[in-house]
Amino acid sequence: AQRVTQPEKLLSVFKGAPVELKCNYSYSGSPELFWYVQYSRQRLQLLLRHISRESIKGFTADLNKGETSFHLKKPFAQEEDSAMYYCALRPGGSYIPTFGRGTSLIVHP
Amino acid sequence: GAGVSQSPSNKVTEKGKDVELRCDPISGHTALYWYRQSLGQGLEFLIYFQGNSAPDKSGLPSDRFSAERTGGSVSTLTIQRTQQEDSAVYLCASSLNGEGLFFGSGTQLSVL
C-alpha cells in the first residue's frame, strides 16, 4: 500500500525567507502527486499537480523518483502563504488519493 | 452550483444516536469521495463513488458507517450508534476525472 509522509507538523518562517515543505512517499509504481492547501476558514483546495509542472502562487514542486519525494518550495514566503498544506499521492490506475498528515506553515511578518 | 455543498456544517449528537451527513457535488462530476479529517491525523479515506459503478468502501472504519449516492448526484453518509471516536470533520469531494478533487466545507461532527 502507498504511504505519504510529511515529516514536519509545523514550519515557521519569516516573510521573505525561502520555504520548503517536505513530502516523501512510498509506492512501487508510477504515482501522480498533488499539493493541496487549506487557508484559515476556507475549504481544502488543489494547489498544484506534478504533471502540470506549473508554478502556482510562486510555489513549485518537482517529483524526484530517485528520492521518492515531492517537496513544495517557494523562494520568498509571504504572510498570506500561512495555511495548512497537504501532500497527496494517487496510484496509477486508481482514482483515490492518499493524503499525508499535513504541515502547518506560519509566515511571520 | 458554486461548488461542493455539505450539510449540516455542524452536528452535535449524543453517543449512540445515528447521524446523516449530506453532500451535493459539483454538477457533472462523476466521482464523489468521503474523507474524515481528525486533528493531527490528516485525511482518512472513507468511500469513493464513480458513476454507476459499485462504490469502493475499503476505507469505512466499521459496519456502523455506510453511504449511498442517489441518481449519481447527492450522497449521504450515515453513522449508526455514534461513538466519541467518530468526532471529526467529515469532508466530501467531487471530481470530473480524478485529476484534482474539489472539496466541500465539511461537517464538524461532535459526539458527546
Side-chain angles (χ1 to χ4, degrees), chain B residues 24-74:
Chain B
D24 200 343
I26 292 172
S27 178
H29 280 193
T30 56
L32 187 147
Y33 307 74
W34 282 99
Y35 282 84
R36 180 166 68 176
Q37 186 178 33
S38 305
L39 196 60
Q41 297 300 312
L43 275 71
E44 176 189 6
F45 166 72
L46 297 177
I47 189 168
Y48 162 69
F49 296 89
Q50 173 60 268
N52 295 320
S53 302
D56 183 327
K57 305 179 182 180
S58 59
L60 295 179
S62 78
D63 59 8
R64 296 187 295 105
F65 288 72
S66 63
E68 61 178 23
R69 188 179 185 190
T70 53
S73 181
V74 172

Side-chain angles (χ1 to χ4, degrees), chain A residues 9-13 19-21 59 77-79 81-85 103-107:
Chain A
K9 283 187 178 179
L10 173 66
L11 187 60
S12 182
V13 301
V19 64
E20 180 180 70
L21 293 97
F59 284 98
Q78 303 300 314
E79 290 179 67
D81 296 329
S82 296
M84 193 74 178
Y85 291 80
T103 297
S104 176
L105 174 65
I106 299 175
V107 181

Side-chain angles (χ1 to χ4, degrees), chain A residues 37-84:
Chain A
V37 60
Q38 188 168 26
Y39 300 102
S40 178
R41 288 184 292 277
Q42 293 187 29
R43 60 185 67 191
L44 192 60
Q45 59 186 285
L46 179 66
L47 180 61
L48 54 78
R49 304 161 50 198
H50 91 267
I51 64 171
S52 300
R53 303 186 67 82
E54 57 195 344
S55 174
I56 303 293
K57 299 184 179 183
F59 284 98
T60 59
D62 291 318
L63 177 61
N64 186 322
K65 292 186 177 181
E67 296 183 357
T68 59
S69 68
F70 188 56
H71 302 328
L72 184 67
K73 301 177 185 179
K74 185 169 182 177
F76 307 104
Q78 303 300 314
E79 290 179 67
E80 55 265 31
D81 296 329
S82 296
M84 193 74 178

